[in-house]
């Protein structure tokens, strides 16, 4: 199956985000939820693996709960900033049954192939230990998607701009197919107010989540197309000139069974 995403560009996007000062308000919200989940789970918290970490600050709540924390990130800059190692999720070289928990912080939606990645993470877990994580959902950035459709209409060039996302039922099935017991997926919808398209794009760059699709257009967006996108983004703005964009976060969890699958 052809790859959807460009892994080299993915790394560069995350490198740039860290160097420029990462935008982590969604990550911080996700970490709060993950900590609540972990605190309710009964298991020995000796060693955990965190996959994807844009800022060392995000690791602190996990480090307070585990005796040892290992960090990996597809970006060498992000990995170095957190004292971790650089690795792509599908190629993680981890001894089986090493970790008491695996924590995936928002990168699995662009990890290919995802089914094999989920299986690799499960095998890294000790028996009866959890994977917990978060990834963007399919209802994210609808206003941006509509704005880019308008840009394509004006430019006459059709190009994919917004990443395809897995929906909650599909993610639940992927977890089950990878051998996780008791898979669960919850949805957290976050509304953010923006006064212009540029502010949203700046946030996405700071998160390292701008377009990394292989089939994206390499041509810069023209002035007329960008003007159309800006206008479409602010259509039906409120009286304060702002609009609401929505980010959908899929929180997921599953357990490596106590007995072999």
């Amino acid at each position: 199956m052809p790859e959807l995403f460009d892994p080299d560009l993915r790394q560069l996007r995350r490198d740039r985000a860290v160097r420029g000062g990462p935008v982590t308000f969604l990550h911080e919200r996700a970490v709060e939820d993950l900590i609540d989940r972990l605190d309710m789970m009964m298991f020995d918290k000796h060693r955990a693996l965190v996959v994807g970490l844009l800022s060392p600050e995000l690791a602190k709540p996990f480090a307070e709960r585990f005796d040892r924390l290992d960090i990996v990130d597809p970006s060498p800059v992000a990995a170095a900033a957190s004292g971790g190692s650089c690795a792509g999720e599908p190629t993680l070289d981890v001894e089986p049954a090493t970790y008491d928990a695996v924590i995936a912080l928002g990168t699995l939606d662009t990890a290919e192939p995802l089914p094999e990645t989920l299986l690799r993470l499960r095998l890294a877990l000790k028996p009866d230990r959890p994977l917990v994580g978060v990834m963007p959902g399919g209802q994210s950035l609808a206003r941006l998607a509509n704005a880019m459709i308008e840009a394509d209409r004006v430019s006459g060039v059709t190009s994919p701009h917004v990443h395809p996302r897995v929906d909650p039922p599909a993610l639940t099935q992927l977890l089950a197919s990878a051998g996780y017991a008791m898979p669960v997926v919850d949805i957290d919808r976050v509304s953010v107010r923006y006064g212009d398209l540029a502010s949203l794009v700046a946030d996405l760059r700071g998160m390292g989540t701008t377009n990394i699709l292989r089939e994206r257009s390499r041509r810069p967006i023209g002035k007329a197309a960008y003007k159309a996108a800006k206008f479409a983004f602010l259509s039906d703005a409120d009286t304060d000139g702002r609009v609401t964009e929505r980010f959908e976060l899929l929180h997921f969890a599953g357990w490596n069974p106590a007995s072999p699958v």
Side-chain angles (χ1 to χ4, degrees), residues 116-140:
E116 286 84 346
T117 299
L118 291 172
L119 176 59
R120 184 178 292 268
L121 295 179
R122 184 178 68 79
L123 295 177
L125 287 164
K126 297 175 184 177
D128 199 24
R129 296 293 190 270
L131 163 74
V132 296
V134 63
M135 68 170 66
Q139 300 304 309
S140 297

Side-chain angles (χ1 to χ4, degrees), residues 38 77 85-87 114-115 165 192 197 199 217 220 230 259:
L38 288 167
V77 177
S85 59
C86 177
L114 182 55
R165 309 290 189 189
V192 183
L197 178 59
S199 297
S217 172
K230 291 195 298 181
S259 56

Side-chain angles (χ1 to χ4, degrees), residues 37 41 118-119 121-123 125-132 171-185 252-261:
R37 291 171 186 264
M41 295 175 176
L118 291 172
L119 176 59
L121 295 179
R122 184 178 68 79
L123 295 177
L125 287 164
K126 297 175 184 177
D128 199 24
R129 296 293 190 270
L131 163 74
V132 296
L171 181 54
T172 303
Q173 183 57 52
L174 283 170
L175 290 165
S177 297
Y180 290 91
M182 298 182 291
V184 62
V185 179
F252 57 91
W255 291 77
N256 188 26
S259 56
V261 174

Side-chain angles (χ1 to χ4, degrees), residues 39-261:
D39 284 347
M40 291 187 293
M41 295 175 176
M42 302 300 294
F43 63 95
D44 292 332
K45 296 180 175 69
H46 297 306
R47 187 178 179 185
L49 174 66
V50 177
V51 180
L53 200 71
L54 273 184
S55 168
E57 296 298 313
L58 298 169
K60 289 182 178 180
F62 303 115
E64 292 169 355
R65 287 161 172 81
F66 290 89
D67 300 328
R68 174 175 170 178
L69 203 65
D70 296 341
I71 296 168
V72 296
D73 195 281
S75 157
V77 177
S82 299
S85 59
C86 177
E89 302 88 340
T91 58
L92 281 177
D93 185 14
V94 177
E95 287 293 323
T98 296
Y99 292 104
D100 294 293
V102 172
I103 302 157
L105 262 181
T107 64
L108 294 192
D109 62 306
T110 52
E112 294 184 290
L114 182 55
E116 286 84 346
T117 299
L118 291 172
L119 176 59
R120 184 178 292 268
L121 295 179
R122 184 178 68 79
L123 295 177
L125 287 164
K126 297 175 184 177
D128 199 24
R129 296 293 190 270
L131 163 74
V132 296
V134 63
M135 68 170 66
Q139 300 304 309
S140 297
L141 303 176
R143 188 172 286 274
L144 173 62
N146 290 334
M148 298 316 297
I149 289 171
E150 183 63 16
D152 285 347
R153 186 191 67 79
V154 170
S155 69
V157 177
T158 301
S159 173
H161 298 285
V162 180
H163 295 172
R165 309 290 189 189
V166 63
D167 61 22
L171 181 54
T172 303
Q173 183 57 52
L174 283 170
L175 290 165
S177 297
Y180 290 91
M182 298 182 291
V184 62
V185 179
D186 297 318
I187 304 173
D188 179 21
R189 295 185 176 94
V190 185
S191 296
V192 183
R193 302 278 288 166
Y194 287 101
D196 53 43
L197 178 59
S199 297
L200 170 59
V201 172
D203 276 355
L204 296 177
R205 284 177 176 160
M207 298 174 193
T209 55
T210 48
N211 191 352
I212 61 168
L213 290 167
R214 284 189 180 276
E215 298 303 318
R216 71 194 183 281
S217 172
R218 269 57 169 183
R219 293 172 52 188
I221 187 171
K223 290 183 179 179
Y226 185 59
K227 182 178 180 180
K230 291 195 298 181
F231 182 82
F233 183 75
L234 289 177
S235 64
D236 68 4
D238 294 335
T239 54
D240 63 356
R242 292 178 173 270
V243 295
T244 299
E245 182 63 286
R246 175 173 290 177
F247 296 85
E248 183 179 75
L249 305 178
L250 303 184
H251 291 268
F252 57 91
W255 291 77
N256 188 26
S259 56
V261 174

